[in-house]
Amino acid sequence: ITMGRRIAGIIYILITFALVNEMSINVYARDNNNKRRTKEKSGGFQKNICDITDRDSKVHCYCENTREPRNATKAECWVFNGGIPRDDLIWQSFASQPILQTLSFNVRVDGALGYIPTKALLYLQRLRSINIKYGNIVDVTPFAFANLTNLKEASLSQNQIENLQQYAFAHLPNITTLNLEENMIIDIDTEAFFDLPKLQKLVFTKNNITTIRNGTFQHTFNLLELDLNKNNIYHLNRRTFDGLANLRKLDLRKNRIQNLTEFTFAELWNLQELLLGKNDLRYISERAFDGLSQLRKLSLDDNKLASLPSGLFEGVRGLSSVDLRSNELHALTFDNIKPILDNLKPQNSNLLLEENNFVCDCRLKWMHSLRNETKSQNTKESLDSVTCKMDPPIVSSAYNKMPDAMDDKLDYNQDILHAGLTIETLNDKMNVTEKKTLPGDLSKDDANEISKKGVKRTVLKIPAETLPCPREVIKTTEIPPYIVDPVIPIQNEMKTFRFHDTNSAYVKLRPSFGFVVLWSIFFRFFFT
């Protein structure tokens, strides 16, 4: 009995101890919950940014995998309420997740975020990627990214950014990609990019950049790709790209560039791809591309080029892809293409020439040879589509008919018309048929349209040996020969004729006068 009482007493004590312990745990948990709610309402930095339940909070974040403090590595935040001060306590809440590596902000209300939240970034020294979108960040201020030494990627697209101030992106030793597309950037300070030794890609697509200051990229010496597509740049010079000796790709499409002067890209020794399509290019210096010994791809499509300097490709003999579509080229000679001709024969090469204003003459003969020798399908298809123009036909207002298409319109070089090849047989070989248009067959609109466009032919359908060569143009310093009308004498000839007639009359009179004098002397002597 005594033993049973002892055992019962021990069991009672254990049960009592367990109940007291459970009550203590519940009280402790309740106190912690109350404290957490109080701190959330106060907005202090103790708030867990991944576990905000207050609907009135200015920032809400969703953290992948966990909501526990100090455990999240990726967070996506939404900014709903506008007018957040730079020193708002909400930014201190990011201290609850110090090991975040990926962070993004999506601004849901216009004007809700007008700056880079540097106060939040101060607590995120392990951050590797940041993305801010749809903000109203007019200026990127100095040291906006808080010297994040582990940051590798930063994207600030569609934030209405206008100015990049001095040291806007500074002391970011590991950043490799910086995306600033679809903003309103006008001005870039020459020291905006400072101490970015690993930056490889810089994107400025769809901004309002008009000029680039000399030395803007001097601290981005390891940059490999620079995208300036869809801006308003109109002027470039040799100093524009200082510091970019390692650049591989430069995209300048859809700007307002009109001229390329000599040595414009001379500092880009390692450039392999240069895109200049859809500009207003009218003039390119013969030495504009000098120094680009590594260039492989050149895009000049959709410009206003009427001709190319003969030695333009001398300094870029490694070119294997050239796009000259949709220009106003009248000719592209063998001398133009000779420095890179062999590069256009392998399978992966490209030469694109459609939609130009080529004239059908012997300067296009080389296209036949390249078409037969190249292995590039793209080049073959392009050459098959290249057209050229005969001189446009003229509609006679007197007879209301179209003269023959080839009748005295092409300026033939008589040296190529050998025995058995006359202009008539040349017309036959070029499949030009004479067609007389009866009055009323050709409307006025049709006539105007034809006179503007001329007669288009597919270059490769014209036999190479029948392409006429244009005569050499007479220099303006040469004096043209006089053309004298055989019927009406010119003024000097008229004077000569008058002088000649006077002399002739005098000569005719001289024998008669002498005869009279002699006869008078004889008569006087005889009768005296």
Side-chain angles (χ1 to χ4, degrees), residues 390 406 425-434 457 461-463 466:
M390 304 298 185
M406 296 292 294
T425 58
L426 184 62
N427 288 343
D428 293 337
K429 288 189 176 184
M430 295 177 71
N431 298 322
V432 177
T433 57
E434 297 183 358
R457 299 288 308 280
K461 290 184 179 180
I462 305 174
T466 63

Side-chain angles (χ1 to χ4, degrees), residues 480-486 488 490 493:
Y482 287 107
I483 301 176
V484 181
D485 192 302
I488 303 174
I490 61 175
E493 287 182 327

Side-chain angles (χ1 to χ4, degrees), residues 391-397 400-405 407-409 442 447 450-451 454-455:
D391 280 1
I394 301 173
V395 177
S396 172
S397 59
N400 192 28
K401 69 176 183 178
M402 187 189 306
D404 300 335
D407 186 20
D408 296 328
K409 295 299 182 291
L442 189 65
I450 293 175
S451 65
V455 179

Side-chain angles (χ1 to χ4, degrees), residues 193-206:
F193 307 105
F194 186 80
D195 189 21
L196 309 175
K198 293 186 179 180
L199 185 63
Q200 296 182 356
K201 184 175 182 179
L202 182 55
V203 180
F204 284 105
T205 305
K206 290 187 179 180

